Amino acid sequence: MISRRGVLGAGAALAAAQAQTGGKTIAVASSNGLRACARAVEIMKQGGDTLDAVVAGVNIQEDDPEDDSVGYGGLPNEEGVVELDASLMHGPTRRAGSVASLRGIRYPSKIAKLVMEQTDHVMLVGEGALRFAKAYGFREENLLTEKSRLAWMVWKRSLRDASGHNNWTDGVDAPPAEKAVAELKRAFPDVSEELLAYAWDRAMYPPTGTINCLGLNAKGEISGVTTTSGLAWKIPGRVGDSPIIGAGVFVDPDVGAAGSTGRGEENIRIAGAHTVVENMRHGMSPQEACLDAMKRISKNYGNDRKRMEKFDINFYALRKDGAYAGASLWSGTRRPGQTPPRRKFTVNDGGQSRYEDCAFLYER
Ligand code: ASP
């Protein structure tokens, strides 16, 4: 039986938490998170758990073959096999779960949640993670779509030794880059030029993607998740930051949550999401916290911008009181001959999801 005092105590705690968040329900995500944020906020507003909400949000991207950085249709490793990573943290219970190098299951975030809820472990990888998922009734399937298979084939054909040779093409007489799409049209006559242009772009500029989604409800409860197919064309078994608790995502219910997308190798070296949350604990605003983490990455390169030009990395932060930010190393993405579009992140605090500009360390 709950005593009157107990009820009053819980009521006072709830009122205090609502005062902190302004009673707001908020989801913050990477730039591919418009739908994820909308779904997460909808679920939280209906009283759903914050982790259930953000996982349901990112499941939309995991399911979507058009998002080639997450789940089904994610770009594969160098052998053409899709390998997925995910991690999550549940603020209210201070628990965590993670999977890495998971093949054949399109919802790594759901498996990470099961690891958290149904095992005495935090992280499962590879074959063990797959067997665990199957034990829970998940269906193994080929996650490579025709589109991502084509991008992988084009990447394989683009590799060259010093004499210009590649066993996967006609070799030494291969045309220069600007004629690439025309040459590909000969190799893949049934494929549209639009699709070949996409595949060539992906092969030349292996994209970063991933989705991170952080959710805060009106009671002040907070959770976060990150899910990815990782770096395109990676060495099989390569694990990035996304499934690493404290790098891809970190939640401390006393402070807030943070997550990351972009080149995972850089994030792992500074334990980025944990760093951002610790920065907020020590009084930095979400934006200052993210930019400080970015400065640590920059310092690992002696602040040499030339060396950092080849990669992108982003942090997202949501503080327990509802303040939030997104920040990136560079103001925009590098594509020769194009003005880089300004980096964005996604927010929903009720109503429609919207983009906001990321703060950035360096202009590009
Ligand atoms: N962070 C992911 C990884 O390194 C990739 C990405 O965000 O693009 O695996």
Side-chain angles (χ1 to χ4, degrees):
M1 199 172 100
I2 306 172
S3 70
R4 184 170 156 73
R5 203 176 141 182
V7 170
L8 284 177
L14 180 61
Q18 283 180 339
Q20 275 184 327
T21 66
K24 266 194 180 173
T25 298
I26 305 179
V28 170
S30 39
S31 60
N32 51 354
L34 285 175
R35 292 178 298 171
C37 284
R39 182 175 290 179
V41 165
E42 187 189 337
I43 292 171
M44 290 190 285
K45 283 203 154 168
Q46 287 164 0
D49 174 72
T50 48
L51 186 59
D52 288 344
V54 290
V55 168
V58 300
N59 288 162
I60 298 172
Q61 293 311 110
E62 288 175 332
D63 240 344
D64 183 356
E66 292 307 313
D67 188 332
D68 61 15
S69 67
V70 181
Y72 177 61
L75 294 171
N77 67 21
E78 66 179 18
E79 291 172 357
V81 180
V82 181
E83 279 183 350
L84 305 177
D85 301 330
S87 66
L88 44 79
M89 289 188 85
H90 184 235
T93 56
R94 298 173 184 266
R95 288 190 301 167
S98 151
V99 289
S101 295
L102 175 64
R103 298 178 171 195
I105 306 286
R106 71 167 71 185
Y107 303 111
S109 64
K110 289 189 185 183
I111 313 305
K113 190 157 179 281
L114 275 175
V115 172
M116 181 188 90
E117 291 169 341
Q118 305 295 339
T119 75
D120 194 25
H121 307 315
V122 167
M123 186 172 199
L124 293 180
V125 305
E127 184 59 31
L130 173 59
R131 292 219 289 264
F132 173 78
K134 283 161 78 175
Y136 273 90
F138 282 81
R139 192 169 52 91
E140 192 175 356
E141 59 183 319
N142 181 9
L143 301 178
L144 196 66
T145 56
E146 273 308 284
K147 203 172 161 184
S148 53
R149 187 186 63 79
L150 184 74
W152 168 66
M153 283 299 294
V154 170
W155 169 74
K156 278 177 83 75
R157 293 171 61 91
S158 74
L159 304 175
R160 292 279 179 273
D161 67 16
S163 63
H165 180 71
N166 176 338
N167 288 329
W168 288 78
T169 72
D170 46 4
V172 288
D173 58 348
E178 56 273 19
K179 294 198 186 128
V181 173
E183 189 265 347
L184 287 173
K185 191 71 196 163
R186 267 187 283 121
F188 303 100
D190 299 335
V191 178
S192 73
E193 281 196 12
E194 192 190 351
L195 197 49
L196 289 173
Y198 154 84
W200 179 254
D201 182 74
R202 291 310 198 234
M204 290 302 104
Y205 305 99
T208 52
T210 307
I211 183 163
N212 165 245
C213 188
L214 311 170
L216 174 74
N217 68 14
K219 291 188 274 182
E221 294 168 342
I222 192 161
S223 292
V225 60
T226 299
T227 175
T228 188
S229 51
L231 191 67
W233 333 132
K234 62 193 171 188
I235 297 174
R238 176 267 187 186
V239 171
D241 60 321
S242 304
I244 309 290
I245 302 292
V249 76
F250 192 71
V251 177
D252 182 326
D254 299 332
V255 179
S260 181
T261 60
R263 188 174 140 82
E265 280 73 7
E266 306 314 327
N267 185 18
I268 291 172
R269 292 202 285 162
I270 64 146
H274 183 261
T275 295
V276 171
V277 170
E278 287 309 296
N279 283 342
M280 293 195 290
R281 187 197 307 281
H282 296 119
M284 287 188 198
S285 70
Q287 189 179 106
E288 289 165 346
C290 292
L291 287 174
D292 174 76
M294 219 56 91
K295 284 180 192 158
R296 296 184 195 207
I297 289 172
S298 178
K299 197 167 179 194
N300 284 342
Y301 284 86
N303 299 317
D304 181 345
R305 294 189 196 193
K306 266 253 144 316
R307 291 176 68 205
M308 290 183 284
E309 253 172 18
K310 293 193 188 80
F311 65 84
D312 289 304
I313 180 154
N314 316 286
F315 289 113
Y316 315 94
L318 176 58
R319 210 167 54 187
K320 194 176 145 47
D321 63 359
Y324 61 83
S328 50
L329 180 64
W330 295 100
S331 56
T333 317
R334 191 167 73 109
R335 281 286 195 280
Q338 288 179 17
T339 312
R342 184 72 195 274
R343 288 224 161 241
K344 308 273 183 198
F345 68 106
T346 319
V347 184
N348 188 306
D349 48 15
Q352 294 235 316
S353 295
R354 62 178 182 274
Y355 289 125
E356 291 197 17
D357 286 342
C358 284
F360 56 86
L361 198 59
Y362 298 126
E363 182 96 47
R364 168 150 75 194

